[in-house]
Structures are given as C-alpha cells and as structure tokens.
Amino acid sequence: MTGPRRETLEKLTPVLTKRWLSPEAWRIGVYEQLDGYAALRKALAAHPDDLIQLIKDSGLRGRGGAGFPTGLKWGFIPQNDGKPHYLVVNADEGEPGTCKDLPLMTHDPHSLVEGVIIASYAIRANRAFIYIRGEAVHAARRLRNAVREAYAKGYLGTNILGSGHDLDLVVHSGAGAYICGEETALLDSLEGFRGQPRLRPPFPATHGLYASPTVVNNVGTIASVPYIVLGGADWWKSMGTEKSSGPMIYSLSGRIANPGQYECSLGVTLRELIELAGGMLPGHNLRFWTPGGSSTPLLTAEHLDVPLDFEGVAGAGSILGTTATQIFSDQDCPVYATYKWLEFYYHESCGKCTPCREGNYWMVGIYRRILSGAGTHQDLDTLLDTCDNILGRAFCGLGDGATSPVTSSMKYFKQDYLDYIEGRKAPRLSAKQLVGA
Ligand code: L3W
C-alpha cells in the first residue's frame, strides 16, 4: 500500500495534537518545556474582557457538536451580578464513533487544565469542574495527576502566579450515562441528582450550576484557548474556512487502513481524510458514513468532496457534530447499522420524555421485525411517522439524534429495507430476538 501524497499530508495541522507523540507530555515538567503555561502567564497579564474579545475575534466555535460561538457564550455571563460563576468542561465523550477528547486528556491533560484556568479568569469564575465520563478511568487519572501538579506549581489555588485570581478545579467522574453529555443533564448530575435534561431556556449561561451563571464547553473548545492566546486570532483564522475557523480533530473509524485521530483544518474533505488514513481496507468500497457521530444524518460516496466544516456539512443535509467519521463499506448493511445505533439510543434514553423513551423502544422493535424477515411495507411508514413525532418534540437532542440514522438510511438505502421485507436478503436476526412491536 502506498502512503498519502505530500499534498494530502500537508492537510494535517497539528495544534491540539502536537504534543501527543512527545513521551510524557502529560507530566508538568515536560509540558512546560513544550511552551506549557506560557499562554496562562500572557492571559493573566490581560484584562478578562480582552480575552473574551480575543476568543470572539478568533471565531472559535464549540467542539462538542453544536458549533456555538465560544466568545459569544462567554460574553453571556453577566458581570458584577454578585453571584458565583462556574466553568464546566463537558468531558463526557459518549457519542458513538467519537474519540477525540479522551486521547487529548490522556496525552496532553495540562493543555486542558491551562485552558480551564484561562477561561475561568476570562469569565471571572473561581470554581471549575471537569465532568469526565465514568468509564474513562485512565484519562481521569491523568487529569487528576495534572490538577495536583498544577496546584503544586501555583497555577491553581489562591492568587495564581501573583495575579490575584483564585481558582479551584475539581475532576468529577460521571457514572457512564450518555445523557449526561447533554449540558443540563450534566449539571444535574454534577449537583448530585439523577442526570436528566432541564428545560432550556433559561440557558446555563444565566441559570447553570447551582442556578448560577455557568459556561459549559467541550474539552476541545477549552483546550484550544491557550493556542489562541499564544498565536492570536488571525493565526487561528488562517486555518479552516471563513465561518469555521481553526483546526479540528477528526476521529476516523471503520473500514479504513489506519483508524485514529487526524487533526486538520476545518473544511478538509472525507476523500482527503481517507487518504491520510491509508485508504479503504483492501476489498472495501465506501458506501455510507457519519460526518459527526451517529446522531448526524448519514452521507454516502456522493459526498466525498463535501468540506467538513459546519456550513459544508449542513449544505449536504447533515451536521458536522463531533467530527466522528465512521466509515462503512459495501460489505456493511445500513439497515443493520441503524438498528445497532437505535439499540444504543433506546438503552441510553433517560426516560424523561415520552417521544424519546417510547419512540426509540418501538423503533427498535420494528427494526428487529424487519431484520428477522417479518417486516411489512407499513413498517417503513411507521418508522418515518415515529421519527416525525420525535423530531423537535423530545426534551433534548438525544431524541432528535436518534432519528438521524433512521431517516437518512431510508432516504439513501430504501432498497436495502425492501430487500429484507420482500425476502431478497437473508434475515440477520432470529424471531427469538423480537420484542415489543
Ligand atoms: C445562551 C442562548 N446560551 C444556545 C448555548 C447552549 C449550548 C450551546 C449550543 O447539543 C449537539 C446535540 C447533539 N443563550 C443560547 C445559548 N446556547 N443558545 O449554546 O446549544 P445547542 O442547543 O445548539 O446544542 P447542545 O445542547 O450543546 C450539542 C450534537 O451536538 N452532537 C453531539 C454529541 C456529542 C456527544 C459527545 O460525546 N461529545 O455526545 C452530535 O451531533 O446531538 O444536538 O451550550 O447552552 N440563547
């Protein structure tokens, strides 16, 4: 197999991943040798409002799936309101296919800690939390070690580096529930309640943790901050596209030669990413893929040249999401893949709202019927009707996300569904696995 061409290799823009190959960059001494905590010194010499303006000017957008402008979110935090402010990092990475935050926290935890300190200073928060997924034991250990090291060096605690700013940072492990990646369920869980979404508005920016102004940002968003402070807004905007600035870590999985994380400027295409990953596995041809995890509508081989930025992917009828590109070939079945994703949503639904709780249950039953060879044409209408009744009616994005693979696989691969229903495809499940519908 030949490697990627030089022009394709130039697509790599390692910024957040640049220390990943340095042995022990997770230790504070090594991190400091590699420019670590230089951005913090620079930030503490600036006025907090100027830092918020810098992040606005950089065009940084949230890396957790929604792409909301980070500087705008920080700017929502009321000033001189007499209330405590909080920064909460959403490290509950759980979207199927997404694997960009856990490696960052494992290889380079101090970049996140440094970003937390700068962001907290900017929004005038004296308490910050990193809410990490319960199963991510190794990453949590690395983070807790980094926090201990940062306290010992005076980067955390009282009067940080003589600036007069105080910050306590707590690393909190969740219990492994997908719903706790939804920002308001995360806040409930952090407060000690069962993690279930709250109604928005009010948004966390005004009524967040303990009903106080809170910024909730993804790991990748906060870890980007030290680089922007050091490099400046123009440097950040020199990568990516006009409305989607900077680099992004794309996690590639599936039928490719070298799955893993590839950091490229926003706007790279799947064709280029596949080339960086050494091509498709021998004997496999691309058939369908997710641009940003299973909650984003599937795309197909027609979309190989779509720019993978917020606008480009939206133009193709999907969502950039968490840039988790799961790649499936002509040896994979879109109906079965959708069924496996639905089982995940059904299992992870928190049960608070009826459309998500009941809709996913019934859809899993219908998929089992189709995949066991007992499906009917009416089932296809029922699936679409169920999606219609979930979309926009669920309490949070989990419900909407669950409909994405269903509607998009039916849009592009209806023939595969008909092949099961009309007996041209051998059943994948036995009748014993039928439940519900
Ligand atoms: C103040 C306003 N704040 C919006 C804030 C809001 C939030 C951010 C974006 O879900 C999506 C979800 C997943 N005043 C505001 C305001 N905000 N208006 O802006 O809000 P929103 O509602 O657009 O999205 P969200 O609730 O953050 C994220 C999708 O991303 N996704 C990602 C899944 C990722 C994981 C993971 O493992 N990392 O699960 C994939 O598609 O479905 O739709 O902070 O408060 N007027």
Side-chain angles (χ1 to χ4, degrees), residues 9-10 29 32-33 90 93 99 101 111 117 136 159 178 192 203 211 218 239 265 348 398 425 428:
L9 282 172
E10 283 167 5
E32 284 173 323
Q33 280 165 19
N90 185 344
E93 185 168 58
C99 188
D101 299 337
S111 65
I117 307 167
N159 193 21
Y178 176 64
F203 288 95
N218 172 259
M239 294 170 281
S265 296
E348 293 294 338
L398 191 150
K425 248 187 172 179
R428 291 281 301 252

Side-chain angles (χ1 to χ4, degrees), residues 87-173:
L87 175 73
V88 176
V89 177
N90 185 344
D92 195 49
E93 185 168 58
E95 172 77 1
T98 308
C99 188
K100 63 183 181 60
D101 299 337
L102 294 186
L104 189 149
M105 292 185 288
T106 306
H107 297 304
D108 195 11
H110 280 286
S111 65
L112 177 61
V113 173
E114 186 175 5
V116 166
I117 307 167
I118 298 171
S120 301
Y121 172 68
I123 63 162
R124 299 164 172 93
N126 300 117
R127 293 249 160 162
F129 297 85
I130 300 175
Y131 185 101
I132 186 167
R133 184 178 167 174
E135 295 95 329
V137 177
H138 187 50
R141 269 195 212 120
R142 284 269 166 97
L143 265 183
R144 291 199 173 98
N145 178 66
V147 169
R148 264 194 306 273
E149 289 182 324
Y151 268 107
K153 287 262 183 165
Y155 297 131
L156 282 169
T158 48
N159 193 21
I160 296 170
L161 301 177
S163 65
H165 180 64
D166 305 337
L167 180 67
D168 281 318
L169 171 58
V170 173
V171 178
H172 178 93
S173 289

